[in-house]
Amino acid sequence: MTHIETATPERFSALAPDPTADLDRLRRNLAGGSVRPEHLLVVTDPSVGTDVARVGIFTHEDGASLTYAFQIVPGRSDAERIYGVLFDGVAGAARSSGLGRVLATVVDADEGEPRAKRAALAAAGWEVDEDRLELEATPSASLRGDGIVEIDPSDPEVVAVMAAAMAQSLDGYDQDQVAALGPAAAAAAYRDMMARPGGPPWLAHRGPDGLDGVVAIMAFPEDWCLGYLGVAPGARRRGVGTALTNAMLTASAAAGVPSATASVAVGNEPIRATLTGVGFAVRSPRTDFVLSIADQVS
């Protein structure tokens, strides 16, 4: 019978496709406090004498905690049961650490067994938080539009624009964060979650009345991700979002990045129209799940 237990970083990373790179990232996350040692979990199968699955809990700067680094060894016929063991372990680790809620994501195109993962989440009491779409585009080197500037994420104008945009957002994450923290604090926390030292500069649009739009770029080894696109309410429907998204694709092309990615809530029609209008296409459905620890029976 399989069972779950905490693991050393080395043991946890041994299940990754590239253990060396995974361990390097994991050690940085542990040093930065976004991952705790007690949040590294592996499932062991005594019948074969090896670890067969893993999961961790990652806590972002804005306080959002989510499962990550899911790995189940290929060829298991009991994937749904193993997912169940993993999710029970996550709930126990979160409860013992005082976490109030944990998020989990199913991106169909990236999962070996998306049906099994969804079924295990539902059986373990996780609820659907939001349906989203993962999008992808090929970067293109077009001319940067008028009004586009590079901006340091720490610039106070960035938070001001983000706060205004998040206060009137159709995105469930934005709405939840604004309700919990207020617009300014939610924007600052979200900014801090995405900003990376040495990462690509963020892009902004400066209109006649000042800064009125911002796009956050998050650099990954194989793609640059449009982590956030926000336009001040008073500047919407003027092409600001399109100009910023085009500028992001141009910056990605100039950096030689092969792919640009983005995520959008299914119900956020304006942002989806902006992204698809400049060349983004749907790569995969995605569902975000949430487990409210306070609602679980201990």
Side-chain angles (χ1 to χ4, degrees):
M1 178 65 70
T2 57
H3 64 275
I4 195 165
E5 58 190 52
T6 57
T8 64
E10 292 78 11
R11 182 179 172 189
F12 186 82
S13 290
L15 286 165
D18 186 342
T20 300
D22 189 87
L23 182 59
D24 182 56
R25 287 191 298 268
L26 177 56
R27 284 172 171 163
R28 291 199 301 270
N29 290 333
L30 287 165
S34 55
V35 175
R36 305 182 193 179
E38 64 269 25
H39 288 168
L40 301 176
L41 308 172
V42 297
V43 173
T44 300
D45 185 346
S47 68
V48 295
T50 59
D51 296 330
V52 298
R54 70 171 187 169
V55 68
I57 301 176
F58 187 102
T59 300
H60 283 291
E61 287 86 344
D62 65 352
S65 295
L66 67 155
T67 59
Y68 87 108
F70 272 101
Q71 208 81 42
I72 296 179
V73 297
R76 298 288 303 196
S77 61
D78 54 351
E80 185 173 330
R81 185 180 64 80
I82 292 178
Y83 272 126
V85 175
L86 289 170
F87 289 125
D88 284 344
V90 167
R95 186 181 299 110
S96 65
S97 301
L99 299 179
R101 65 200 302 266
V102 184
L103 306 174
T105 295
V106 180
V107 179
D108 290 35
D110 297 339
E111 301 288 346
E113 297 280 353
R115 184 207 60 79
K117 189 173 182 180
R118 291 175 187 274
L121 281 161
W126 296 64
E127 297 181 346
V128 173
D129 188 43
E130 189 169 42
D131 288 314
R132 302 184 68 85
L133 297 170
E134 293 293 301
L135 295 89
E136 189 171 21
T138 300
S140 57
S142 59
L143 293 176
R144 178 175 291 182
D146 293 338
I148 299 296
V149 297
E150 294 185 357
I151 194 165
D152 190 310
S154 65
D155 190 310
E157 286 186 289
V158 169
V159 169
V161 170
M162 290 180 65
M166 291 177 70
Q168 296 188 33
S169 174
L170 298 176
D171 189 282
Y173 179 90
D174 292 356
Q175 294 170 352
D176 290 345
Q177 291 298 98
V178 169
L181 304 174
Y190 201 13
R191 184 271 316 272
D192 292 345
M193 181 179 76
M194 292 179 290
R196 293 289 182 272
W202 288 18
L203 302 172
H205 182 270
R206 194 171 294 282
D209 299 320
L211 205 72
D212 54 19
V214 63
V215 63
I217 302 176
M218 301 174 68
F220 297 100
E222 297 181 355
D223 65 89
W224 275 12
C225 176
L226 192 158
Y228 176 80
L229 173 63
V231 177
R236 291 175 180 170
R237 301 184 184 277
R238 299 180 184 175
V240 173
T242 296
L244 284 166
T245 309
N246 271 325
M248 182 266 185
L249 292 175
T250 299
S252 301
V257 180
S259 176
T261 60
S263 174
V264 61
V266 169
N268 196 336
E269 298 272 354
I271 295 295
R272 182 179 177 184
T274 295
L275 294 173
T276 56
V278 301
F280 278 88
V282 175
R283 182 180 72 86
S284 176
R286 160 183 160 183
T287 304
D288 292 344
F289 291 82
V290 61
L291 179 71
S292 297
I293 306 301
D295 296 338
Q296 301 296 301
V297 177
S298 59

